[in-house]
Amino acid sequence: KNDADYDVYVASITDTACPDVSIKLTAKDAVQFDGDTGKVLGSLPIVKKAPKNDPSDEREGALFYDEGICGWVVDITTSGWYNISFSYLLYKEVTYEVDGQQFTATSKSSSAQRRVYIDYKVPFYEARQINFERVWKDSSLLKVDSQTFNEKRPYQEETEQWQNVAVRDYMGYEGDAFKFYLEAGTHTIAFEAV
């Protein structure tokens, strides 16, 4: 646990290098970690999913569980500051397979909240909670009450869609995406369900 805030974290590291390197972490490389020891427990289930409103946008993703710690082991070739970005889809229901057995998972209707770990440590206070938001739309057109002539807002319904986001302050106090300092070598980048 680290109680230092993001500004203190950034100021504590004198290296200003921002390598012009993009490291792609794939769904097939995602793993589940033991929360006590940090050992890799195994691969995550791979799910092929397309939003119902756009069946042509089928993509492959790792199913991050609603409990535990999941992420990647990554080799960094150049020390410096890195952003972490994702493509993600928050599902209502998804079917996946583990060891030949099929399972179905349903999700909550709230945003997915995760805690960020770099090498089994939360690097700064704000990394304790990162939100991955859902997308909502009006379920119908705006209606007008026939007796009072007041407008009635339609109910909101979730619409599944792939989203691309960078890890950032969910409160909005920090305008830019968070930067994480990684030295050359092997690191773990992990997310715990909060």
Side-chain angles (χ1 to χ4, degrees):
K1 180 178 164 183
N2 191 339
D3 290 328
D5 70 12
Y6 180 66
D7 292 332
V8 171
Y9 166 74
V10 171
S12 71
I13 299 168
T14 56
D15 188 350
T16 59
C18 294
D20 189 19
V21 175
S22 184
I23 301 166
K24 186 168 177 131
L25 305 174
T26 67
K28 291 178 180 160
D29 296 329
V31 295
Q32 183 173 18
F33 295 101
D34 182 293
D36 296 323
T37 65
K39 286 187 175 181
V40 173
L41 296 175
S43 298
L44 293 175
I46 302 298
V47 176
K48 281 192 175 182
K49 183 99 169 126
K52 288 180 182 161
N53 63 339
D54 189 3
S56 66
D57 193 18
E58 182 176 77
R59 300 186 202 179
E60 191 172 79
L63 178 64
F64 273 49
Y65 299 115
D66 284 336
E67 297 178 349
I69 301 174
C70 304
W72 295 268
V73 176
V74 59
D75 289 318
I76 301 296
T77 56
T78 307
S79 297
W81 292 97
Y82 290 86
N83 295 109
I84 300 173
S85 299
F86 280 96
S87 288
Y88 74 94
L89 174 81
L90 293 179
Y91 57 85
K92 294 177 190 173
E93 183 175 278
V94 67
T95 302
Y96 63 97
E97 191 174 300
V98 175
D99 297 329
Q101 199 170 8
Q102 283 207 336
F103 298 91
T104 299
T106 55
S107 67
K108 306 170 200 166
S109 61
S110 60
S111 61
Q113 300 171 337
R114 299 291 185 261
R115 178 171 290 132
V116 180
Y117 291 94
I118 304 293
D119 298 329
Y120 314 108
K121 293 179 184 144
V122 178
F124 47 87
Y125 182 82
E126 294 85 349
R128 293 174 316 130
Q129 183 175 332
I130 304 298
N131 287 359
F132 296 96
E133 301 295 339
R134 295 180 180 276
V135 177
W136 300 90
K137 69 175 185 174
D138 292 341
S139 62
S140 63
L141 297 174
L142 191 68
K143 295 179 182 177
V144 176
D145 186 290
S146 61
Q147 293 178 347
T148 64
F149 301 105
N150 288 328
E151 293 179 343
K152 288 183 174 180
R153 287 180 45 187
Y155 291 106
Q156 296 292 293
E157 63 183 26
E158 185 178 355
T159 178
E160 292 181 348
Q161 73 181 47
W162 284 97
Q163 297 182 70
N164 299 314
V165 299
V167 173
R168 62 181 55 241
D169 180 7
Y170 84 99
M171 297 287 287
Y173 294 129
E174 187 66 38
D176 294 328
F178 287 139
K179 298 184 296 183
F180 297 87
Y181 188 78
L182 299 171
E183 292 183 355
T186 301
H187 297 276
T188 60
I189 299 172
F191 296 85
E192 178 181 23
V194 182

